[in-house]
Amino acid sequence: MEAVIARAKSVSLDCNNVDKKLRQIFDLTEDEANFHMKQSAFLYQLAVQTMPKSLHCLSMRLTVEYFRDHLFDKELSEKYSDPTLQHFVIFSNNVIASSVVINSTVVHARDTVNQVFHVLTDWQNYYAMKHWFLRNTFRDAVVQVLNIEDPDSYGKATLSHLTLPVEFRVSFPSNDSAPAIHNRTQYVSIFSHSHYLLPEIFKNLEKVVVLDDDVVVQQDLSALWSLNMGGKVTGAIEICSVKMDQLQSYLGEHSFQKHSCSWMSGLNVIDLARWRDLDISETYWKLVKEQVSMKEGSALLATLLTFQDQIYALDRMWVLSGLGHDYGLDIEGIKKAAVLHYNGNMKPWLDLGIPKYKEYWKKFLNHEDQYLSECNVNR
């Protein structure tokens, strides 16, 4: 040991070389950490945006069975356009998600004989949706499946592809002095292009309730049909935790009241008669063309401008949002809410979904269904 120590002392040490070596090691480690962070973020987004294998299996099985048993197809067109009934609209390309919305709604409804559900979907999922809702009953309610991409059926009231409600991730500090790592995050969901076809698709209807496919209904919704919205076009939940000035990066410089609340899709009561009177759709498409240079925020900006002063604020007890991103929601608040909104990336049908919130969604699945079992959807 003495010999080793003596030898070590006899070797001259260049501190510059040691410093240089440590910096190289640090830079390599930092580069590797950045790589893994980017890889993790990419894979997370991929998992969020990709349809799970089980749901793809279900859609394919249902499509095949539809063409084997197409004579089973039947329509109840007299109810589909009856303005005296309660009409619910769901935009979705997800069979299970839309089924949970409908099932949870009828389970809690006092009377379902007057309920009509319209599921607007795309070509790829149309036949799977048709077969699913033909082979499953929802008490006395009826379900109509529409292909929003079919020009032969709706003419001008079609799009080249279905667009679902758009979600914008907004982060802002909890207070002025809080570091960025403690920023609060909110997902603001708003109408997509498809929503602006509603007055044309449902020409005979005067009022509809639009439900996003990431909600679960826990109470009877019949009171929504007797709301007096005071001439407003849309009833929506206002999100006062997100002010208009906090959306400035998306909206640019426009004449919004800076401290006014934003609002969300999820549960919306729409007065189609008033919508037509004010020509809301034409206003929206005009604004979209004007904002064509804004790739990310054009839909948000156009929607907020279109519905400025046309939002009737629903009571906050109607909807509790955040179940798709916020781990800290109050369980008692969840139980009391009429509608649970899983806005955010962690949808309840994904493996990434927040486990403690999934149970409120999964209990409305039909666990005895043959296709769900064969495609491993029930796990």
Side-chain angles (χ1 to χ4, degrees):
M1 179 61 70
E2 288 178 352
V4 170
I5 293 174
R7 186 178 176 186
K9 287 182 177 180
S10 66
V11 176
S12 61
L13 187 63
D14 189 342
C15 292
N16 288 331
N17 289 338
V18 173
D19 177 66
K20 189 180 296 184
K21 185 63 177 179
L22 289 175
R23 287 182 182 277
Q24 288 176 347
I25 294 173
F26 176 77
D27 289 341
L28 288 172
T29 305
E30 187 176 32
D31 289 343
E32 189 174 357
N34 287 334
F35 167 77
H36 286 297
M37 286 177 64
K38 291 178 181 179
Q39 183 186 56
S40 175
F42 173 78
L43 293 175
Y44 177 81
Q45 289 299 322
L46 188 64
V48 166
Q49 297 172 12
T50 304
M51 178 183 288
K53 183 179 179 181
S54 58
L55 297 188
H56 181 73
C57 163
L58 178 65
S59 181
M60 294 298 100
R61 287 293 308 275
L62 290 170
T63 301
V64 171
E65 291 301 322
Y66 175 85
F67 287 102
R68 283 182 181 170
D69 193 23
H70 64 277
L71 294 178
F72 182 56
D73 198 347
K74 61 183 184 294
E75 296 286 340
L76 298 171
S77 56
E78 67 279 359
K79 278 197 166 187
Y80 295 157
S81 57
D82 186 346
T84 65
L85 303 180
Q86 297 177 1
H87 293 265
F88 296 86
V89 177
I90 304 166
F91 293 91
S92 180
N93 56 10
N94 186 323
V95 176
I96 289 300
S98 53
S99 181
V100 166
V101 175
I102 295 173
N103 193 26
S104 63
T105 303
V106 300
V107 163
H108 295 100
R110 287 193 293 267
D111 180 19
T112 60
V113 71
N114 292 323
Q115 290 186 328
V116 182
F117 292 88
H118 307 272
V119 181
L120 276 63
T121 189
D122 54 13
W123 271 118
Q124 182 176 336
N125 296 281
Y126 175 68
Y127 297 107
M129 290 274 197
K130 289 277 285 187
H131 192 66
W132 177 264
F133 289 112
L134 285 170
R135 70 190 297 271
N136 288 280
T137 58
F138 300 87
R139 293 176 65 186
D140 296 320
V142 297
V143 181
Q144 179 190 28
V145 179
L146 301 172
N147 178 7
I148 203 172
E149 298 175 358
D150 183 7
D152 295 333
S153 298
Y154 309 108
K156 292 182 179 180
T158 57
L159 293 171
S160 59
H161 64 280
L162 172 73
T163 54
L164 300 177
V166 185
E167 289 190 343
F168 290 88
R169 183 178 184 272
V170 183
S171 294
F172 44 89
S174 303
N175 54 63
D176 294 337
S177 60
I181 195 172
H182 294 135
N183 281 0
R184 289 189 296 131
T185 298
Q186 179 64 270
Y187 285 80
V188 179
S189 60
I190 53 105
F191 290 172
S192 69
H193 292 336
S194 299
H195 287 71
Y196 294 90
L197 303 180
L198 288 173
E200 289 298 315
I201 295 175
F202 302 108
K203 293 181 178 180
N204 295 327
L205 303 184
E206 296 184 355
K207 193 174 190 178
V208 296
V209 170
V210 179
L211 298 169
D212 287 1
D213 68 356
D214 58 353
V215 305
V216 168
V217 177
Q218 298 191 124
Q219 296 177 22
D220 178 56
L221 300 182
S222 58
L224 293 172
W225 301 96
S226 59
L227 278 180
N228 179 3
M229 297 197 298
K232 303 294 186 182
V233 175
T234 300
I237 297 296
E238 289 190 332
I239 307 298
C240 290
S241 60
V242 181
K243 306 290 186 181
M244 288 299 181
D245 59 344
Q246 293 168 323
L247 298 174
Q248 207 69 30
S249 60
Y250 292 109
L251 304 180
E253 295 297 330
H254 286 273
S255 57
F256 290 106
Q257 295 179 358
K258 288 190 174 182
H259 298 294
S260 60
C261 302
S262 60
W263 58 274
M264 289 194 21
S265 66
L267 169 69
N268 299 99
V269 184
I270 297 181
D271 185 340
L272 290 177
R274 185 68 175 151
W275 185 306
R276 297 185 187 100
D277 290 343
L278 297 177
D279 208 357
I280 292 294
S281 296
E282 183 63 27
T283 301
Y284 173 78
W285 293 118
K286 182 180 178 181
L287 287 167
V288 168
K289 290 179 181 178
E290 291 176 357
Q291 308 300 329
V292 68
S293 61
M294 294 178 60
K295 294 181 180 179
E296 187 175 10
S298 60
L300 177 62
L301 175 59
T303 292
L304 292 177
L305 285 172
T306 299
F307 284 99
Q308 193 168 210
D309 301 322
Q310 293 300 328
I311 297 297
Y312 173 81
L314 297 176
D315 192 301
R316 293 183 65 183
M317 290 302 294
W318 278 109
V319 180
L320 178 66
S321 61
L323 280 81
H325 69 91
D326 189 346
Y327 282 85
L329 296 177
D330 178 54
I331 298 299
E332 287 303 314
I334 291 176
K335 293 178 179 178
K336 291 178 181 178
V339 175
L340 303 178
H341 190 188
Y342 289 80
N343 59 313
N345 281 337
M346 293 178 277
K347 303 299 184 187
W349 54 84
L350 299 175
D351 290 338
L352 294 171
I354 300 174
K356 64 180 179 179
Y357 302 150
K358 276 188 175 184
E359 61 182 274
Y360 301 101
W361 184 86
K362 293 182 73 172
K363 66 182 178 182
F364 294 106
L365 291 175
N366 179 7
H367 296 282
E368 304 299 322
D369 186 87
Q370 173 190 349
Y371 295 146
L372 296 190
S373 298
E374 291 178 356
C375 290
N376 202 25
V377 175
N378 280 329
R379 59 191 176 87

Coordinates of all heavy atoms in Angstrom, one line a residue, residues 63 99 101 146-147 150 194 221:
T63 N -67.3 -5.4 -38.4 CA -67.4 -5.1 -39.9 C -67.7 -6.3 -40.7 O -68.6 -6.4 -41.5 CB -66.2 -4.3 -40.4 OG1 -66.0 -3.1 -39.7 CG2 -66.3 -4.0 -41.9
S99 N -70.5 3.6 -27.2 CA -71.4 2.7 -26.6 C -71.5 3.0 -25.1 O -72.6 3.0 -24.5 CB -71.0 1.2 -26.8 OG -71.9 0.3 -26.1
V101 N -71.0 5.9 -23.7 CA -71.7 7.2 -23.5 C -73.3 6.9 -23.5 O -74.0 7.4 -22.7 CB -71.4 8.2 -24.6 CG1 -72.2 9.4 -24.5 CG2 -69.9 8.5 -24.5
L146 N -74.6 7.4 -38.5 CA -74.5 8.2 -39.8 C -73.0 8.3 -40.2 O -72.1 8.4 -39.3 CB -75.0 9.6 -39.5 CG -76.5 9.7 -39.1 CD1 -76.8 11.2 -38.8 CD2 -77.4 9.2 -40.2
N147 N -72.8 8.2 -41.5 CA -71.5 8.3 -42.0 C -71.3 9.7 -42.5 O -71.9 10.1 -43.6 CB -71.3 7.3 -43.2 CG -69.9 7.4 -43.8 OD1 -69.1 8.2 -43.4 ND2 -69.7 6.7 -44.9
D150 N -70.1 10.5 -46.2 CA -70.8 10.0 -47.4 C -71.5 11.1 -48.1 O -72.6 11.6 -47.7 CB -71.9 9.0 -46.9 CG -72.6 8.3 -48.1 OD1 -72.3 8.6 -49.2 OD2 -73.6 7.6 -47.8
S194 N -66.6 19.2 -37.8 CA -67.8 18.4 -38.0 C -69.0 19.0 -37.3 O -70.1 18.8 -37.8 CB -67.5 17.0 -37.5 OG -66.5 16.3 -38.2
L221 N -80.4 13.4 -17.6 CA -80.1 14.6 -18.3 C -81.4 15.3 -18.9 O -81.2 16.3 -19.6 CB -79.2 14.3 -19.5 CG -77.8 13.7 -19.2 CD1 -77.0 13.5 -20.5 CD2 -77.0 14.6 -18.2

